[in-house]
Amino acid sequence: RALVHSFSWQSALFTLGLAVYIASRLIALEDFPIYFFSDEAVQTVLAADFVRDGFYGYDGIFLPTYFENASLFNLSVSVYLQIIPYMLFGKSIFITRAVPALVTATAVIALGLILKRSFQLRYWWTAPFALGLIPSWFLHSRTAFETTLFVSFTAWTFYFYLEYRRGKTWNLFPALFFGALGFYSYAGAQIVLGAFGLALLLVDWRYHRQHPRLIILAGLFSLILIYPYFRFRSAHAAETYFHLRRLDSYWFHETTTWTKVLTFFQQYLQGLSPTYWFSRFPDDLPRHLMRGYGRISFLASPFLLFGIYKSSFRVKEPEYRTLLLLLLSAPLGGALISIGITRVLLVIIPASILIGIGFSYATAQIKNERLRSSLMTLSFILLVSAQFYMLRDSLESGPTWYRDYGLSGMQYGAKQVFKAADAVASNPDVTRVYVSPTWANGTDILMRFFLPDRSPVAIANAGPFLEAMQPEALTETIFALTPNEYRDLLNDPKVEEVMVERIIDYPDGNPGFYFVRFNYSAEADASFASEQALYESIQTRRTEYRGDSFLIEYPYTDMGELKHIFDDDPFTLMRFYSANPATLALTFDEPISMQGIVITTGSMDIGLRCRVYRQQIDQPQEFSDTFVNLPDDPTVELDFGAMIQDINKIEIEITALSAGTPFKIHLRDLKLR
C-alpha cells in the first residue's frame, strides 16, 4: 500500500508540474519573447511554400531532407512539423511557436522517466521544474527556434538508450529514431550527436557485443535513417563548407592550425564554464537573454553542484557514464564557430538531470519522514510559484529589459509594423508601402508571414527615391522608417517636406517606426545630377590575377574592394552602386589565352556578355548567354568553345535581368579560365 500510495503521489505531482510547464509556455505566447524573429517565421513560410509546390523543395527535390533558409540548408524537421498546423490554422505566431513548445513538453516527460527509471530517484516529480525553471530554456522554449527540437529529441534518445543499457535491448531502435530526429532538427546537432554516438559505441562496446543480432539490425536501421542525409549531400556536397563560411567559423581564418585548435578548446571549455552558465548578466545577444536571471539560475547551483559531486563517485555505472558523455558532447557544435546559447542549449538536459539528482540526494539527508513530506509539499508550492513568477515577470518587465529594439538588439515590431503597413496600404490614395529592412534580419520572410503574396507592401526604405528622382511614384508611396532613417530624411537636402501619417511606439514608449510621405525640394534636381555624375564615373585600377598584370576599368562601387573579386573566395564581394549592366574592361600588359569566364554574383538572374580583343585583329569576338531560375548567390560559366590565344583585352558585361535600374549588382568572384 505504501508503494502504491507513494507512486500515485509522485505521479500526481509530476502531472501537475507538467501542466504548469505547459501553461507557462502557452500563456501569452505571442507576447514573450517580444520579438517574432525571421528564424521563427521562416518555419511556417517554408511549410506554406512546400504545400504550394506539391511537396517539392526550392531545389526541386521531392520531400527534401533540408529546406533552404537564407541560402543555407539548415531546416528540416521543424518545417515538416509546421505543415499540418499551417494547413489547419494558417500563419499564426501562436501556432508557429506552440508546435515546438509542445514538443519541449515531451522532453519534460522524458526527463521524468530518466530520473525515475534510469536513476531511480525518489523525487523524480521535480523534472518539470528542474528543466522548466532554467531561464535560457524558459525563453527559447517559447520560440520557434529549431534548437529546442534538437534538445527535446535528444532527451528521448538519452532515455531510450539508458533503457537499452538496463537490459531492455529493443529500446535501442527508438533511441536511434529519436537521435535521427535530433540530427535532422538542427545543423549543429550533426557533430554533437555524431560524437555522442561514437563515444557510446566505444565505451559500451562490451555490452553491444553481447547482442550481435540486435546490433546488426540496428546498423541496418541506422543506414535507413541516415539515407536522407546522404541523398542531401550528393545534391549539395559543399553545403557544410558553405555553412561554416557563412557563419565565419575561425577554422577558415588566416591563422595557424595550432591557433585554431587552441581556439576550439577555449570555445569548448567556455560552453561548460560555470561563469558562462551562472552569470546573472551574461554577454550575449539580448534577445537570447532574460535580464538578471542568468542562463541557469544561480539558485539551482547548489543542487547542480551536489548532483555533480554525487555522480562523480558513480561514473562506472552506465547511466552516470552516459550522462557524463552527453554533457561533454553538448558544446561541440558551438565550439566550431563561437559559443552562443542556441548552439549549446543541449547542456541543459544533463544539467537538469544533475539538478534532479542533487535535489533528491539533498532531501534524502532529512531522516524525519514527516518533516521531509512537509518540505516536499512546500517545495512543490515554491516551484509552482517560481514558474508563474518567471512568466509574470517576463510578460510585465520583459518588454523593457533591453531598450535596443533594432537590428543589434531585440528586432522588435514584426507583427506591429506589417499589420500597420497592410492597413495603410488599403487607403485609396496609396499604391505602395515600403517597409525598411534595416531593423531586423529577414524582413522579406517576416513580410511573407504576415501579408499575402502580391501585397502592395514591399521591402525598401527611402533610399531608391533618394538615389534616382521618381516624383510620380512618390506621390502615392508611404515609407515605414526607423527613427534614424526618419531623422536622416528630415536632414536630406533633396527633401522639402516630410509628413508623418502614423507612428508605432517601442515597448518603452519611444517612437519605433514612422509612416511618412515626403516631397522633393527645389534643390533636388541639382543634387541628383551631381550624384549621378559620380555614379556614372569609371574607376581605373591596376591589379594582378594569377601572375597576369592588367589595367581594369569598372563602374562606381559602394562596398568591397577590387581584390575581393579576384581572391577565389565567394564570401567576399564588390558591389556596383547603380550600374545595370555593370561593365568591366581588362587590358593586359602581356597577351593571355582564355577559353571562358566564371562569375559568382549575388542572388539574381544573369545576362552575361564577353567581348574578346586579340592582337592585330580589329573586331572583337563576342560571346553571350542568359541564366535564369538560379539558386542564391549563383555561379555561372560563359564558355568560348575553344582556347583563344593572344588576348590583350576583354570586356565583361553583367546584367541583372528584370531587376530594373538602378540596381546594385554584387560580384563575388571572377575567374578567367
Side-chain angles (χ1 to χ4, degrees):
R1 291 176 188 170
L3 288 175
V4 171
H5 176 74
S6 174
F7 173 79
S8 300
W9 178 245
Q10 297 282 344
S11 299
L13 291 178
F14 176 81
T15 303
L16 288 173
L18 179 61
V20 169
Y21 175 91
I22 294 173
S24 68
R25 267 55 187 175
L26 298 183
I27 292 174
L29 188 55
E30 291 192 19
D31 299 330
F32 183 82
I34 62 170
Y35 55 80
F36 184 63
F37 204 67
S38 59
D39 284 347
E40 301 179 84
V42 74
Q43 315 286 351
T44 303
V45 170
L46 287 173
D49 289 352
F50 186 53
V51 173
R52 178 201 65 194
D53 297 337
F55 303 105
Y56 283 86
Y58 293 158
D59 54 359
I61 295 177
F62 183 66
L63 298 178
T65 306
Y66 289 100
F67 295 86
E68 189 174 8
N69 171 26
S71 78
L72 294 178
F73 288 89
N74 61 352
L75 300 178
S76 181
V77 177
S78 57
V79 177
Y80 281 104
L81 286 175
Q82 295 287 350
I83 292 173
I84 293 177
Y86 161 73
M87 295 175 71
L88 292 175
F89 305 105
K91 295 173 182 174
S92 156
I93 295 178
F94 179 84
I95 297 300
T96 297
R97 285 181 167 178
V99 170
L102 292 175
V103 173
T104 69
T106 72
V108 173
I109 299 173
L111 194 64
L113 293 173
I114 290 168
L115 296 179
K116 178 184 178 182
R117 296 183 179 177
S118 302
F119 291 90
Q120 299 180 355
L121 299 180
R122 181 175 182 180
Y123 301 110
W124 59 273
W125 60 265
T126 57
F129 306 104
L131 181 62
L133 284 170
I134 292 179
S136 55
W137 182 253
F138 178 87
L139 170 65
H140 291 92
S141 60
R142 291 176 59 94
T143 71
F145 295 148
E146 65 275 12
T147 184
T148 61
L149 299 179
F150 157 53
V151 174
S152 300
F153 292 136
T154 303
W156 281 108
T157 301
F158 186 65
Y159 165 69
F160 282 115
Y161 185 82
L162 292 183
E163 289 295 287
Y164 160 73
R165 283 297 280 114
R166 291 177 60 224
K168 300 178 181 181
T169 54
W170 288 98
N171 281 280
L172 182 59
F173 293 94
L176 292 171
F177 175 73
F178 280 102
L181 287 178
F183 181 90
Y184 291 118
S185 293
Y186 179 61
Q190 296 171 10
I191 185 173
V192 174
L193 291 178
F196 182 53
L198 180 60
L200 293 179
L201 180 65
L202 297 175
V203 171
D204 292 336
W205 179 245
R206 290 185 179 180
Y207 183 80
H208 302 320
R209 289 179 58 189
Q210 297 173 18
H211 310 91
R213 179 173 174 271
L214 183 74
I215 295 303
I216 292 173
L217 292 175
L220 295 174
F221 185 53
S222 298
L223 290 177
I224 296 172
L225 295 174
I226 203 67
Y227 168 75
Y229 181 72
F230 288 137
R231 182 185 67 155
F232 167 76
R233 290 304 301 268
S234 67
H236 304 279
E239 181 60 22
T240 300
Y241 166 83
F242 184 69
H243 197 145
L244 291 173
R245 284 300 310 269
R246 281 293 301 272
L247 296 177
D248 193 28
S249 171
Y250 58 85
W251 287 102
F252 298 99
H253 293 177
E254 294 183 1
T255 57
T256 65
T257 301
W258 170 247
T259 300
K260 295 174 183 177
V261 172
L262 183 62
T263 301
F264 173 82
F265 281 107
Q266 289 173 338
Q267 293 290 325
Y268 174 78
L269 292 175
Q270 182 185 356
L272 296 174
S273 168
T275 302
Y276 177 83
W277 287 100
F278 290 109
S279 172
R280 291 188 61 219
F281 297 97
D283 182 19
D284 207 333
L285 291 172
R287 58 181 171 269
H288 293 302
L289 300 172
M290 295 179 64
R291 187 176 181 87
Y293 281 85
R295 296 182 177 93
I296 297 178
S297 173
F298 189 76
L299 296 176
S301 59
F303 300 113
L304 179 60
L305 292 174
F306 196 37
I308 293 173
Y309 171 75
K310 297 299 293 187
S311 300
S312 64
F313 294 101
R314 306 181 66 174
V315 290
K316 292 185 178 180
E317 299 175 30
E319 57 271 20
Y320 289 92
R321 184 169 62 243
T322 306
L323 176 62
L324 175 63
L325 292 176
L326 180 62
L327 177 62
L328 294 177
S329 302
L332 287 172
L336 284 177
I337 305 164
S338 62
I339 294 298
I341 184 59
T342 56
R343 295 170 182 158
V344 295
L345 196 58
L346 181 60
V347 169
I348 69 163
I349 292 298
S352 299
I353 295 171
L354 289 167
I355 290 171
I357 292 172
F359 182 84
S360 291
Y361 277 111
T363 53
Q365 308 309 308
I366 303 174
K367 303 305 181 182
N368 187 300
E369 186 65 29
R370 179 172 297 181
L371 176 60
R372 188 160 52 192
S373 298
S374 300
L375 183 60
M376 290 305 99
T377 302
L378 177 61
S379 297
F380 181 80
I381 295 172
L382 289 175
L383 291 172
V384 171
S385 301
Q387 191 85 289
F388 282 113
Y389 171 81
M390 187 180 290
L391 174 64
R392 178 182 175 182
D393 190 36
S394 63
L395 293 175
E396 292 183 354
S397 304
T400 55
W401 276 338
Y402 301 97
R403 308 259 177 156
D404 180 358
Y405 297 106
L407 183 65
S408 61
M410 302 304 292
Q411 299 194 11
Y412 169 85
K415 177 177 71 172
Q416 293 79 2
V417 74
F418 283 110
K419 292 297 184 183
D422 190 42
V424 169
S426 65
N427 294 334
D429 62 338
V430 177
T431 59
R432 179 69 71 180
V433 176
Y434 286 112
V435 175
S436 170
T438 63
W439 53 276
N441 299 114
T443 48
D444 56 327
I445 295 294
L446 294 169
M447 180 182 69
R448 291 198 59 208
F449 185 92
F450 290 103
L451 303 178
D453 292 339
R454 296 177 296 278
S455 166
V457 179
I459 300 299
N461 52 25
F465 287 80
L466 300 175
E467 294 168 3
M469 202 164 187
Q470 306 175 59
E472 295 82 9
L474 189 62
T475 60
E476 298 178 338
T477 302
I478 289 182
F479 302 88
L481 305 177
T482 65
N484 287 338
E485 291 170 330
Y486 172 67
R487 285 190 290 270
D488 290 343
L489 195 65
L490 291 175
N491 296 323
D492 195 304
K494 295 194 276 306
V495 176
E496 181 178 54
E497 183 181 12
V498 179
M499 296 153 284
V500 178
E501 303 263 331
R502 185 170 183 173
I503 296 176
I504 295 177
D505 289 336
Y506 286 140
D508 64 358
N510 290 317
F513 298 91
Y514 292 84
F515 285 76
V516 304
R517 302 175 189 257
F518 67 90
N519 295 319
Y520 291 119
S521 67
E523 295 80 22
D525 283 331
S527 296
F528 279 118
S530 176
E531 291 177 355
Q532 191 61 31
L534 173 64
Y535 301 152
E536 292 178 354
S537 64
I538 300 299
Q539 316 297 304
T540 303
R541 298 286 187 277
R542 177 166 293 280
T543 188
E544 289 187 359
Y545 176 69
R546 296 182 178 176
D548 294 314
S549 177
F550 56 89
L551 187 73
I552 181 170
E553 301 169 78
Y554 56 94
Y556 180 82
T557 63
D558 67 337
M559 181 183 292
E561 300 178 41
L562 183 62
K563 65 180 181 180
H564 291 151
I565 66 173
F566 294 113
D567 59 3
D568 294 324
D569 185 354
F571 292 87
T572 59
L573 61 86
M574 187 166 69
R575 186 172 75 177
F576 303 111
Y577 185 74
S578 64
N580 186 26
T583 301
L584 295 81
L586 285 67
T587 304
F588 299 96
D589 294 349
E590 299 291 336
I592 68 167
S593 300
M594 286 177 54
Q595 66 179 40
I597 61 172
V598 180
I599 66 169
T600 301
T601 70
S603 301
M604 65 182 194
D605 291 336
I606 302 169
L608 187 57
R609 186 184 305 274
C610 186
R611 300 180 186 88
V612 179
Y613 296 83
R614 302 174 64 189
Q615 284 185 324
Q616 301 178 350
I617 298 178
D618 294 335
Q619 295 298 319
Q621 292 177 262
E622 187 169 302
F623 306 88
S624 64
D625 203 350
T626 58
F627 307 87
V628 298
N629 299 322
L630 300 171
D632 290 338
D633 298 336
T635 297
V636 299
E637 179 178 357
L638 182 61
D639 187 68
F640 299 163
M643 184 70 71
I644 301 178
Q645 310 290 333
D646 299 325
I647 298 174
N648 58 9
K649 180 180 179 180
I650 60 171
E651 292 180 352
I652 302 171
E653 183 180 284
I654 305 169
T655 304
L657 302 177
S658 304
T661 301
F663 182 80
K664 300 181 188 299
I665 293 177
H666 298 67
L667 182 58
R668 294 182 173 276
D669 202 33
L670 170 61
K671 292 185 175 67
L672 309 180
R673 193 169 60 82

